[in-house]
Amino acid sequence: MTAPPVTETVLPLTAAQSGMWYAQALDPLSPAQNTAEYLEIDGPLDPALFAEALRRVAAEADALRVVRVEDTPDGPRQYVAHPDAAEVPLTVREPDTVAEAEAWMRADLAAPCDLAAGPLFRHALFRVGEDRWLWYQRIHHLVIDGFGHSLLVRRTAEVYAALARGERPGPRTFGRLADLVADDAAYRSSQAFAADREHWTRAFADRPQAPRLAGRGALPSHTFRRRTAHLSPETTQGLRDLAARLRATWPDVLIAAQALYTSRVTAQPDVVLGLPMMGRMGSVALRVPGMVMNVLPLRLAVTPEATFAELVRQVVLGIREVRRHQRYRYEDIRRDLGLLGESRGLVGPLVNVMPFDYAVDFAGAPARAHNLSAGPVDDLTVNIYDRADGRGLRIDHDGNPALYEDEDLAAHQERFLHLLDRLAGTDPRLPLAAHPVATPAERELVLEEFNRTERAVPPTTLVGPIEAQAARTPDAPALVYRDTTLTYAELTARANRLAWHLRSLGARPGAVVAVSVPRSVELVVALLAVVKAGAAYLPLDPDYPAQRLAYMLGDAAPVCAVTDRADRLPDGTGTPLVVLDGLDLSDRPWTDPARALTPAHPAYVIYTSGSTGRPKGVVVPHRAIDNRLRWMQHAYGLTAGDRVLQKTPSSFDVSVWEFFWPLREGATLVVAEPGGHKDPVYLARLIREQSVTTCHFVPSMLQMFLAGPDAADCAAPLRRVFASGEALPRETAQAFARALPGVELHNLYGPTEAAVDVTYHACDPADPGPVPIGRPVWNTRLYVLDAALQPCPPGVPGELYLAGVQLADGYLGRAELTATRFVADPFGPAGARMYRTGDLARWTARGEVEYLGRTDHQVKLRGQRIELGEIEAALAAREGVDGACALVREDRPGEQLLVGYVTGDADPAAVRAAVARELPEHMVPAAVVALDAFPLSPNGKLDRRELPAPVFAGSGDGARQPSGPVEEALTRLFAEVLGVGRTGPDDAFFDLGGTSLLAVRLVGRIRAELGAELTIGTLFEASTPAGLAARLDATGRAAEDALDVVLPLRTAGGRPPLFAIHPAGGIAWCYGGLSARLGPDQPLYGIQARGLNSDEPLPRALAEQAAEYVRHIRAVRPHGPYRLLGWSVGGVLAQIVAVLLQDAGEEVDLLAMLDSFPAEQWRERPAPEEGDALTAVLRMAGFERTHERTREDVMATLSRAGSPLAGLTDRTLSRIVDIVPNHARMMREHHHRVYDGDLLFFTAAAPRAQHWLHHGAWRAHVTGPIVNHDLDCVHSQLLLDRQLDEIAAVLTARLKELGA
Amino acid sequence: MSARPGPFDPSPEGRDTHLVLENAEGRLSMWPAWRTVPSGWAARSGPAPHEACVRRVEAGRG
């Protein structure tokens, strides 16, 4: 007898179920959709009876009979078994321990569920004591939610109890799954659905940023981390009482607390939390165990001035609003808003309050629920359970492991509990600003522990220790500039005479004296003289526009201004001038002037960019800078043997320690040329020649310096380098460690408003991640504060405030600005001030600070501080400009560009020219772009992200043609480096968006390709291709020289040179890029075919050609060891040269070939004719031949493409077309001899027509092993891009092994 | 780099948001009215709109 077929019901999915189905389909192997819990049952239990109860409940609850979910052409469908076929396999394990049971559960929970195969649930019973049981149930989230779970548990307990009493259980109370599906379908076609959509779309039209505690989002992981805590019964009761007083529920209070916490930690005043809703209000779903729950966004404004009572009220009203629209799915809201995808979430943390009463019992045995998994965790979910046993609330922090480590969860949880504690015990009518989110221990750590910097220092001034030092070591060298060296006594005498003179003009403590002198001996004398006279010096950069200089003179009202020349400063300022040129001070005393100077008097006034359009003068007192220099000496210990480079412009406060620190310690000041600070090549030479031990770089300049060819040569004299002025990238620190091993790199940070630097960090190349700005210096405190001016715990970003002795007095004559930036310090001694930096930062757990960016529109461009507001004000002041804005773009990585935008009918080029007369060079936009209107965001604000990138175009097609090969090559290099289509020979580099970083790159390219030595300075002086070409023709090598047999690509460097022999075309320029990559210590000579620039006959045999090369090579290096390399036929020649050198008894220790194959591999093949020669010429330029038929066609192509070969004369090009087939002929006639040694080989491994070519053919002609490297390219691409990098890397390693 | 109003910036609505504090040295500080006044400082004026406080400081009146 067979059983009657059992029917299955097939149902579509509800929208909620579909969400789960898609999530599982996206990641089929993820177990994250498994929900599970276990009940701890204290009392006797009959497993058989329990199994029967479960079976009966399964017969009642459709959800427990969903056997599988399959995709069909109409969408996914769920298959529900007939009630009579309800099967509930129950695993029973007894006896067992809790630990074993939990391990079993965790393993079960970690297995993904195959929806198409089923089963979708699992039950198990563990006996973990005489009368103690654990009931585990795991159900896929597609069929059940938390509320559904509770329905099932209660019904199971009810049925079990009835069975235990021997009674028939009461009638089933569940609704049907089919009703749920029908209800859902009805909703989705209803008016309410449309109204709900309208509500949510409107509420989030501006797409607020999701507040993420980890600072970023991530895809959901397969698992989650959980940390569980319990809120004490007292605090729980306190929160309940508070809720009652505020006419709210305790979940409202907990949600408000989480909003407060989230707002502070993410620094967002607009917080969107996710609220899991059971979604059953007034619907049939109230009786259906199924998947109904939804997550809905609750948007709250959290401001420091609002009270907690107000925030709770917002929550109450907000939830009321959410409930009205709670059937609309979260997935639909995100889709409507276009916020799908991992980084485009809408909500931050989820707050999942589960007030379900789990006080069930199984025939008198009480049971407690333990949640194991509430479904996938996208970011962070705070699960809060009200426990029926009166033991307070249980709080689980579940985090996505991709975002949170265990200690992160612990920190968030601990702070949240502390906050709840605090809120429960505080008047809810206080402003939220009264509540810190840091725990008391964290607060102690960041305010006190990390700031223990108290250090007693004597009450001295900037200048006192200098005079004391001069008296101790009068004959020691104090200053070196060009050929001049001054001793301490000489410097002191000159400065004193000038100081006495300045005193006669009114210089005294409290007064200001301007100094406008280019970098020179006189500059140092003048600055020292001003402070010796007791006055504060005001540096005026001689390169600043007259209008700005006039403004500063008017604003600071100095008693006089020291200049080197009478015309240095603008006329009509009324400031008395002290012109050093021709000034006779011989009648003034050479002794130190007496003065009533105290540490409180100002030492210098330095102007910085001001956001309102006017620069502001920062007044720094002696005690501040004296503390800074005493700390620096303690930390880095300058000695008499040290030589400190002075290269920073005096208007930038880093120069203050450069000038005065060495003079206080008996060291020597090495003064760079004016303008020299922009030229890495000059600086490297100066450091080397002047044995500089200590210097400073702005990180972007340091990067350029390290990229230069000579940086590594500075390792010998240098002891320490300081970086400050902008964020120091880790890559730069690592490049530093590679180029300058053994030299210390220190990252310093500080604004002009706090005496140069307030933090310090010694870089360790082994450290990962961002380079911290470090710890506070002596007598300095750092605060990282949130929007409520409360301290942020470690790891949480906030604004950086500075306090302590190094603070400036304020801004000269700007009381209102001073009172908004230098504000009352709530954490320091009574009456203390703190400076608000506007920098975003966070503490690390080790007590260092990391810089994260700006809170406002101030930007740093190559270390210079710029207020965009000042630039915008200057742009807007021009005739015809209606609106203006400015920003720093980074359209190409690492290349920052200041760009101005204007509306109105002004000519943008004229506007740029006009502001260039007013603003210092570093503040002049590289481009001004005219717009019809500014792009606006949906809420009507300027949308800076939508501002277009400026288009720099050279004069291009309309320009005159380059008038020679060098000019031609330079116009091409300009266009390449600047990333513009074409340039003309008269286009200026800096007009086309050239930056100093790009300038370094351009000079490097010119060096590599044209073999021309050139400094950055030359580019500043002659900034067009035509101008540069004229310079090169005058000073560099003429283009024709580049066609000699020996092409010196790099002559400097201590290693034995590498000789690189030309490929078939006879020209060795292709090795220029290799030279750049092998580094400054590796000399490299190209060997080129003879006859390129003469009418000499071409060689008749390779052996003859090689013999000639041997003569040339030995003229450069008379004896071995020799190192040889060649590409294509050049490799064949290199082997012959190597054999000849060995014949002569010389050592050859490197023979390297780039895709070269011995003669016999070619012999049977037809020799190329002119057509192939043309192909070869084009390949030399990196082109495959297409339509070109004649020499003229080839010339035209090269010329159009701007190839450097196009700069060759017709005659030379004709020679190349002869040289190529000549090589082919000689190759076929050559018979190789054996080279005694190894072969380093590089194969162009992409498939080729000449498939028979193989490096193994060399085995007959070399005695040693052949080491081959396959490169994924064709023959003509070997010296390009990645291939070149790889070849250079292999060669570098090999050359290193060989040693010097 | 969002420029949302910080504790020392004007509020968009021009409400009475700030105090002007003074310490024993006669230094002035703007201060948000919602935050406890730090020790050693006393409110000299306010709460008043940010702009009004700035004008008072400019005039040296606090």
Side-chain angles (χ1 to χ4, degrees):
Chain A
M1 222 169 80
T2 54
V6 175
T7 51
E8 284 178 342
T9 313
V10 184
L11 291 173
L13 304 187
T14 64
Q17 289 183 301
S18 295
M20 290 299 153
W21 189 82
Y22 284 115
Q24 185 71 71
L26 271 180
D27 193 357
L29 293 180
S30 173
Q33 318 283 325
N34 288 339
T35 68
E37 67 172 21
Y38 71 86
L39 264 80
E40 190 184 342
I41 303 165
D42 276 320
L45 199 75
D46 178 343
L49 214 53
F50 186 84
E52 173 58 17
L54 259 187
R55 201 198 55 75
R56 287 181 184 230
V57 173
E60 294 174 6
D62 296 348
L64 287 181
R65 296 196 316 283
V66 174
V67 288
R68 65 185 185 281
V69 183
E70 279 178 11
D71 201 10
T72 76
D74 302 322
R77 291 289 182 271
Q78 50 192 329
Y79 293 79
V80 188
H82 190 274
D84 294 345
E87 276 184 40
V88 189
L90 175 69
T91 306
V92 181
R93 287 166 60 110
E94 58 178 325
D96 214 339
T97 66
V98 174
E100 280 165 354
E102 285 187 341
W104 189 96
M105 295 183 219
R106 271 195 299 276
D108 178 70
L109 191 50
C113 173
D114 181 353
L115 290 173
L120 277 57
F121 49 82
R122 180 129 194 212
H123 290 272
L125 209 52
F126 304 88
R127 183 174 200 165
V128 293
E130 184 54 36
D131 279 329
R132 194 151 164 257
W133 296 80
L134 306 183
W135 169 29
Y136 167 80
Q137 44 178 336
R138 183 254 295 164
I139 312 184
H140 195 277
H141 211 339
L142 184 141
V143 287
I144 206 79
D145 60 12
F147 182 78
H149 256 294
S150 74
L151 291 180
L152 292 178
V153 167
R154 255 177 297 176
R155 180 64 180 160
T156 307
E158 211 172 278
V159 172
Y160 179 86
L163 294 176
R165 287 193 300 271
E167 297 168 7
R168 173 191 280 268
R172 80 174 229 165
T173 53
F174 295 151
R176 298 186 317 141
L177 189 53
D179 296 339
L180 207 58
V181 171
D183 191 48
D184 184 62
Y187 166 69
R188 293 181 74 82
S189 56
S190 69
Q191 281 295 319
F193 178 80
D196 289 345
R197 162 183 279 175
E198 157 75 12
H199 166 80
W200 290 114
T201 310
R202 202 178 49 239
F204 292 96
D206 60 343
R207 295 174 184 78
Q209 193 187 349
R212 304 207 180 272
L213 296 182
R216 63 196 169 91
L219 287 171
S221 302
H222 287 187
T223 58
F224 59 88
R225 292 184 199 281
R226 166 168 292 180
R227 194 165 193 275
T228 298
H230 297 102
L231 201 59
S232 70
E234 298 71 38
T235 303
T236 304
Q237 192 52 47
L239 291 172
R240 287 187 208 276
D241 294 346
L242 178 62
R245 264 185 292 154
L246 297 172
R247 287 187 296 158
T249 64
W250 65 262
D252 297 331
V253 169
L254 282 158
I255 291 166
Q258 184 59 42
L260 171 59
Y261 180 74
T262 302
S263 164
R264 291 285 190 77
V265 170
T266 60
Q268 286 181 224
D270 189 12
V271 164
V272 186
L273 297 179
L275 295 189
M277 311 283 288
M278 33 182 229
R280 287 174 167 83
M281 299 293 289
S283 87
V284 299
L286 203 52
R287 294 189 302 112
V288 188
M291 165 55 198
V292 179
M293 65 83 68
N294 194 5
V295 172
L296 287 169
L298 176 65
R299 187 172 191 171
L300 300 164
V302 188
T303 55
E305 70 268 29
T307 67
F308 189 64
E310 287 164 349
L311 185 57
V312 170
R313 183 68 8 208
Q314 252 195 83
V315 170
V316 170
L317 298 176
I319 291 180
R320 203 174 285 169
E321 181 91 354
V322 166
R323 285 224 172 94
R324 276 202 285 275
H325 307 281
Q326 67 170 317
R327 298 192 68 182
Y328 201 76
R329 302 292 310 166
Y330 178 55
E331 304 88 87
D332 291 334
I333 300 176
R334 283 179 67 181
R335 187 169 35 244
D336 295 345
L337 295 170
L339 292 178
L340 293 175
E342 68 183 290
S343 56
R344 303 300 319 270
L346 177 59
V347 304
L350 266 56
V351 187
N352 190 16
V353 183
M354 286 179 265
F356 318 129
D357 180 10
Y358 259 108
V360 292
D361 65 85
F362 289 80
R368 277 203 309 274
H370 297 264
N371 177 281
L372 291 170
S373 167
V377 178
D378 287 358
D379 185 321
L380 182 90
T381 303
V382 183
N383 296 299
I384 302 160
Y385 308 85
D386 189 8
R387 302 188 305 166
D389 58 7
R391 290 197 299 160
L393 300 176
R394 167 177 150 174
I395 299 182
D396 285 350
H397 275 63
D398 290 358
N400 183 343
L403 297 172
Y404 302 94
E405 297 296 330
D406 286 332
E407 57 267 31
D408 300 323
L409 284 184
H412 289 306
Q413 187 169 70
E414 203 157 315
R415 289 180 209 139
F416 185 57
L417 294 186
H418 270 282
L419 185 61
L420 291 177
D421 229 13
R422 223 188 128 86
L423 290 167
T426 312
D427 183 350
R429 286 161 305 180
L430 281 178
L432 293 174
H435 302 292
V437 292
T439 65
E442 285 173 331
R443 193 181 155 90
E444 164 73 17
L445 190 67
V446 297
L447 289 181
E448 309 302 331
E449 193 64 33
F450 290 168
N451 281 325
R452 281 200 208 295
T453 58
E454 297 79 5
R455 180 85 183 206
V457 291
T460 48
T461 62
L462 172 60
V463 67
I466 296 177
E467 292 177 343
Q469 180 64 46
R472 280 197 299 275
T473 58
D475 301 323
L479 178 160
V480 176
Y481 178 67
R482 295 184 183 163
D483 301 330
T484 309
T485 301
L486 293 191
T487 64
Y488 271 80
E490 288 164 340
L491 175 64
T492 300
R494 286 182 62 174
N496 281 346
R497 288 200 162 97
L498 181 56
W500 283 103
H501 180 65
L502 295 174
R503 276 171 59 106
S504 72
L505 296 170
R508 59 184 155 68
V512 175
V513 173
V515 175
S516 188
V517 178
R519 200 154 41 231
S520 58
V521 172
E522 288 70 30
L523 173 62
V524 182
V525 169
L527 297 178
L528 189 54
V530 174
V531 287
K532 275 171 168 280
Y537 74 87
L538 162 66
L540 297 179
D541 191 326
D543 292 335
Y544 278 9
Q547 191 179 331
R548 195 172 184 88
L549 293 173
Y551 172 80
M552 294 195 276
L553 285 171
D555 191 53
V559 293
C560 60
V562 182
T563 72
D564 56 330
R565 289 200 316 253
D567 60 352
R568 191 64 83 184
L569 291 173
D571 294 333
T573 62
T575 308
L577 294 188
V578 178
V579 181
L580 295 176
D581 188 16
L583 182 67
D584 180 10
L585 296 172
S586 53
D587 59 331
R588 299 287 180 183
W590 57 269
T591 50
D592 292 337
R595 62 204 164 225
L597 189 63
T598 72
H601 280 113
Y604 57 88
V605 177
I606 283 185
Y607 274 77
T608 68
S609 181
S611 58
T612 55
R614 284 185 294 156
K616 48 193 198 271
V618 181
V619 183
V620 178
H622 279 274
R623 88 158 66 79
I625 188 64
D626 189 51
N627 182 81
R628 167 67 180 69
L629 294 179
R630 283 184 181 279
W631 161 79
M632 198 173 201
Q633 177 60 19
H634 168 81
Y636 308 111
L638 213 57
T639 65
D642 273 304
R643 294 165 73 88
V644 179
L645 181 60
Q646 204 292 300
K647 71 179 182 65
T648 306
S650 58
S651 53
F652 186 19
D653 71 349
V654 165
S655 67
V656 178
W657 69 252
E658 289 181 347
F659 282 118
F660 299 107
W661 183 33
L663 298 182
R664 288 163 63 112
E665 309 303 337
T668 307
L669 187 57
V670 176
V671 179
E673 296 278 342
H677 59 282
K678 293 178 183 169
D679 188 342
V681 175
Y682 163 76
L683 291 174
R685 202 179 70 227
L686 186 66
I687 290 168
R688 223 168 39 238
E689 291 177 359
Q690 287 294 342
S691 301
V692 168
T693 64
T694 304
C695 69
H696 172 269
F697 279 101
V698 166
S700 51
M701 186 64 187
L702 179 61
Q703 199 183 328
M704 285 190 242
F705 175 76
L706 294 172
D710 313 316
D713 299 349
C714 298
L718 275 178
R719 287 182 200 162
R720 56 186 84 83
V721 170
F722 295 98
S724 73
E726 63 194 10
L728 175 63
R730 175 61 70 189
E731 300 74 51
T732 306
Q734 282 163 348
F736 182 95
R738 281 194 300 273
L740 299 168
V743 183
E744 298 165 18
L745 177 62
H746 299 284
N747 191 29
L748 306 183
Y749 159 90
T752 304
E753 285 85 345
V756 196
D757 298 300
V758 285
T759 72
Y760 66 106
H761 168 85
C763 296
D764 180 340
D767 282 344
V771 181
I773 57 174
R775 306 169 185 284
V777 303
W778 284 0
N779 299 309
T780 295
R781 297 187 304 281
L782 312 178
Y783 308 132
V784 176
L785 304 183
D786 62 22
L789 296 175
Q790 291 285 1
C792 294
V796 172
E799 185 172 356
L800 182 61
Y801 289 72
L802 315 175
V805 71
Q806 283 194 202
L807 290 205
D809 284 339
Y811 301 109
L812 192 62
R814 304 284 291 275
E816 79 296 349
L817 208 52
T818 304
T820 54
R821 300 299 308 201
F822 294 86
V823 299
D825 174 0
F827 313 108
R833 299 184 307 156
M834 60 181 185
Y835 171 69
R836 183 159 68 92
T837 64
D839 287 329
L840 277 177
R842 67 173 167 228
W843 284 108
T844 68
R846 292 194 299 177
E848 294 194 290
V849 168
E850 284 175 358
Y851 171 84
L852 301 172
R854 288 290 301 174
T855 62
D856 58 15
H857 292 139
Q858 188 192 93
V859 294
K860 285 267 181 119
L861 201 56
R862 283 170 279 288
Q864 305 261 35
R865 190 164 132 180
I866 297 174
E867 291 284 358
L868 294 174
E870 184 170 0
I871 296 162
E872 287 165 359
L875 292 170
R878 304 271 74 79
E879 187 86 11
V881 173
D882 296 339
C885 94
L887 82 167
V888 172
R889 306 187 67 94
E890 193 168 328
D891 295 312
R892 290 197 281 170
E895 284 167 28
Q896 295 185 318
L897 208 59
L898 180 62
V899 182
Y901 296 88
V902 294
T903 57
D905 50 15
D907 170 28
V911 170
R912 178 169 177 268
V915 297
R917 284 191 291 278
E918 249 172 56
L919 297 174
E921 184 194 324
H922 66 270
M923 293 174 66
V924 178
V928 174
V929 178
L931 300 174
D932 293 333
F934 289 120
L936 299 180
S937 65
N939 54 12
K941 290 192 199 147
L942 172 64
D943 190 351
R944 287 173 185 265
R945 285 169 305 182
E946 290 297 313
L947 288 166
V951 179
F952 292 103
S955 34
D957 292 345
R960 73 174 172 86
Q961 288 300 308
S963 67
V966 177
E967 220 177 81
E968 169 87 51
L970 286 171
T971 48
R972 180 179 54 81
L973 288 176
F974 267 53
E976 278 178 24
V977 169
L978 290 165
V980 303
R982 289 193 68 174
T983 58
D986 302 312
D987 289 332
F989 183 71
F990 296 98
D991 288 348
L992 294 177
T995 61
S996 40
L997 186 64
L998 290 176
V1000 172
R1001 195 169 296 168
L1002 176 63
V1003 167
R1005 293 289 304 274
I1006 293 172
R1007 270 194 199 116
E1009 292 211 13
L1010 302 182
E1013 282 306 319
L1014 180 73
T1015 66
I1016 305 293
T1018 318
L1019 186 60
F1020 281 98
E1021 289 156 19
S1023 63
T1024 65
L1028 269 184
R1031 289 288 185 113
L1032 293 187
D1033 287 346
T1035 62
R1037 309 193 336 266
E1040 290 287 286
D1041 291 350
L1043 297 172
D1044 287 345
V1045 172
V1046 176
L1047 174 74
L1049 290 164
R1050 184 190 298 279
T1051 55
R1055 298 170 162 277
L1058 178 64
F1059 294 94
I1061 303 176
H1062 60 80
I1067 292 185
W1069 300 2
C1070 52
Y1071 299 119
L1074 187 61
S1075 166
R1077 285 168 178 76
L1078 292 180
D1081 203 34
Q1082 177 61 56
L1084 178 64
Y1085 292 86
I1087 300 294
Q1088 312 194 99
R1090 79 171 184 229
L1092 286 168
N1093 57 352
S1094 70
D1095 292 327
E1096 286 175 81
L1098 300 181
R1100 282 156 308 171
L1102 289 186
E1104 175 198 336
Q1105 193 178 12
E1108 183 191 349
Y1109 292 168
V1110 167
R1111 280 195 301 280
H1112 281 287
I1113 288 170
R1114 297 196 72 167
V1116 174
R1117 182 175 174 85
H1119 295 289
Y1122 291 99
R1123 291 162 187 186
L1124 306 167
L1125 172 147
W1127 179 17
S1128 190
V1129 72
V1132 176
L1133 281 161
Q1135 193 264 358
I1136 306 170
V1137 166
V1139 169
L1140 292 175
L1141 285 167
Q1142 286 182 339
D1143 284 351
E1146 292 294 341
E1147 186 192 344
V1148 177
D1149 61 6
L1150 174 68
L1151 174 62
M1153 296 183 186
L1154 312 183
D1155 217 36
S1156 310
F1157 300 95
E1160 66 272 13
Q1161 293 229 307
W1162 301 99
R1163 201 161 294 140
E1164 304 308 318
R1165 308 282 157 184
E1169 299 176 4
E1170 171 160 324
D1172 296 303
L1174 294 178
T1175 304
V1177 171
L1178 282 166
R1179 279 191 181 157
M1180 285 166 59
F1183 297 98
E1184 283 305 315
R1185 185 165 164 217
T1186 53
H1187 63 281
E1188 296 86 355
R1189 301 160 64 102
T1190 63
R1191 295 184 179 207
E1192 288 69 35
D1193 293 343
V1194 169
M1195 292 293 282
T1197 296
L1198 294 180
S1199 177
R1200 253 200 318 281
S1203 164
L1205 297 178
L1208 299 173
T1209 61
D1210 284 0
R1211 194 180 51 82
T1212 300
L1213 211 66
S1214 289
R1215 284 299 264 185
I1216 292 173
V1217 178
D1218 296 333
I1219 286 171
V1220 172
N1222 190 49
H1223 274 134
R1225 179 187 57 77
M1226 294 193 295
M1227 276 278 279
R1228 281 159 178 74
E1229 293 168 9
H1230 184 73
H1231 289 273
H1232 286 283
R1233 292 168 53 206
V1234 174
Y1235 161 69
D1236 185 16
D1238 311 345
L1239 173 60
L1240 177 59
F1241 201 92
F1242 298 89
T1243 303
R1248 60 174 127 209
Q1250 302 89 347
H1251 54 86
W1252 63 88
L1253 296 174
H1254 190 267
H1255 63 265
W1258 283 108
R1259 289 218 181 87
H1261 312 303
V1262 299
T1263 60
I1266 300 173
V1267 177
N1268 176 57
H1269 295 267
D1270 279 348
L1271 299 165
D1272 185 19
C1273 66
V1274 299
H1275 182 80
S1276 62
Q1277 296 167 334
L1278 267 172
L1279 284 176
L1280 298 175
D1281 310 331
R1282 267 188 306 113
Q1283 297 84 267
L1284 177 54
D1285 291 340
E1286 200 172 330
I1287 290 169
V1290 171
L1291 280 175
T1292 303
R1294 183 76 190 112
L1295 290 165
K1296 203 171 165 190
E1297 280 169 26
L1298 292 172
Chain B
M1 203 174 66
S2 75
R4 61 191 172 74
F8 299 94
D9 296 329
S11 80
E13 301 88 5
R15 287 178 287 130
D16 289 346
T17 47
H18 286 82
L19 307 172
V20 178
L21 307 185
E22 185 176 15
N23 70 3
E25 293 170 41
R27 296 196 187 266
L28 302 178
S29 166
M30 298 281 283
W31 195 250
W34 40 258
R35 188 69 163 80
T36 318
V37 173
S39 74
W41 295 81
R44 232 175 97 170
S45 65
H50 187 273
E51 187 53 30
C53 292
V54 166
R55 278 199 307 273
R56 281 172 169 275
V57 174
E58 268 174 336
R61 287 179 288 128

